[in-house]
Amino acid sequence: MVEEIKKIYIEAKELVENRWNEFLKLKNSNDELLLFSELSFCVLTANWSASGGIKAQKEIGEGFYTLSLSDLEIALKKVGHRFPKARAKYIYENRWIVGKLIDLINSYDVYTLREYLVKNIKGIGWKEASHFLRNIGFCEVAILDKHILRMLHKYKYIDEIPKSWSKKRYLQIEKIFNEISNEFGECPGKFDLYVWYYIKGKVEK
C-alpha cells in the first residue's frame, strides 16, 4: 500500500500542502462560525460525500448557525442531502457549542477533545470527530472512512470492514493506519489526503 501511494507523492504534494495550509488557517482564525461550519460539514458528510458537504458549506455558509430549523432543512434539500431533516436537526441542536469551540480547542489535547465531541455533539461519531479535528489542523488523527477501510482490507491490514464503530475498534484500526502513515513519512491526517488522491485523483477534505 505504501509503495503504491508513494507513486503519486510528487504530483499530489502541492495539493496536499495547500489543503493543509487551509486547515491551519481555519484553526488559527479564531472564528467560531467558521469552525462551526466545519463541524457541520463533518455532520453532513456522514453517509453522504465530501463534495456534497463542500457544496453545502458554500451555499449555506453562516446559515448553519443563523437559519431556523425549517429553513435549514429546506437549504439541505436544495443541495441534495440524503437526510435533510435529520441532519438539519443535528446541526440546529449543536449550536450550543458556538462560543465554546475556541476554548475547547485551546484547552484540550486532540484525543480528549475528540472524545468530548463524540459524547456531546449530535451526528458526530469517531470518524466524524476525527474528520473535524483533522480539518482544523490536528494531524495526529485518522479519518477511517469507507475508502480508507477498503484500502486497508485490500492490502490485508484488516480482516474485515467494520459495519459500525466502537471506541475500541476505531482506535485499533487507527493504530494500524498510523503505523502505515509513519512508514510513508507523513502524519495520519496528511497521509489520509495522499490516500484520497490515490483513490480519487483529487484532494478534497
Side-chain angles (χ1 to χ4, degrees), residues 109-127:
D109 67 87
V110 64
Y111 303 108
T112 303
L113 182 53
R114 178 168 64 175
E115 190 146 9
Y116 179 90
L117 294 172
V118 171
K119 289 179 178 178
N120 293 283
I121 300 298
K122 300 287 182 69
I124 292 287
W126 288 94
K127 176 177 72 71

Side-chain angles (χ1 to χ4, degrees), residues 41-188:
F41 163 82
C42 294
V43 170
L44 292 178
T45 56
N47 297 310
W48 198 32
S49 67
S51 58
I54 291 168
K55 179 182 178 182
Q57 269 189 307
K58 287 180 179 177
E59 297 196 13
I60 298 172
E62 291 187 0
F64 286 129
Y65 185 69
T66 60
L67 290 175
S68 68
L69 177 57
S70 59
D71 285 344
L72 183 55
E73 182 181 340
I74 290 168
L76 291 179
K77 284 180 181 177
K78 285 182 178 178
V79 296
H81 200 282
R82 295 174 63 197
F83 311 106
K85 185 173 184 177
R87 295 300 186 269
K89 189 171 186 291
Y90 287 157
I91 292 168
Y92 186 82
E93 292 181 357
N94 287 338
R95 289 176 177 177
W96 64 268
I97 203 168
V98 175
K100 299 178 176 66
L101 269 171
I102 292 170
D103 284 343
L104 288 167
I105 290 165
N106 292 331
S107 299
Y108 296 105
D109 67 87
V110 64
Y111 303 108
T112 303
L113 182 53
R114 178 168 64 175
E115 190 146 9
Y116 179 90
L117 294 172
V118 171
K119 289 179 178 178
N120 293 283
I121 300 298
K122 300 287 182 69
I124 292 287
W126 288 94
K127 176 177 72 71
E128 294 79 23
S130 301
H131 196 171
F132 170 67
L133 292 169
R134 193 283 304 276
N135 283 11
I136 61 168
F138 288 99
C139 208
E140 305 95 324
V141 292
I143 303 90
L144 302 178
D145 71 356
K146 60 186 179 181
H147 303 291
I148 298 294
L149 293 172
R150 286 170 185 159
M151 287 287 287
L152 294 176
H153 186 255
K154 175 183 176 180
Y155 288 96
K156 305 188 184 305
Y157 289 103
I158 58 175
D159 295 328
E160 61 181 3
I161 297 175
K163 292 183 173 60
S164 61
W165 288 117
S166 65
K167 175 181 178 180
K168 181 179 179 181
R169 187 61 173 145
Y170 195 93
L171 295 182
Q172 283 175 339
I173 299 181
E174 184 179 59
K175 183 179 179 182
I176 293 169
F177 187 82
N178 290 357
E179 290 170 354
I180 300 168
S181 68
N182 287 337
E183 184 182 347
F184 183 80
E186 292 283 4
C187 61

Side-chain angles (χ1 to χ4, degrees), residues 25-44:
K25 184 178 179 180
L26 176 58
K27 183 180 183 180
N28 295 324
S29 70
N30 289 323
D31 188 320
E32 290 275 352
L33 291 185
L34 282 179
L35 291 166
F36 184 70
S37 174
E38 198 64 28
L39 183 64
S40 300
F41 163 82
C42 294
V43 170
L44 292 178

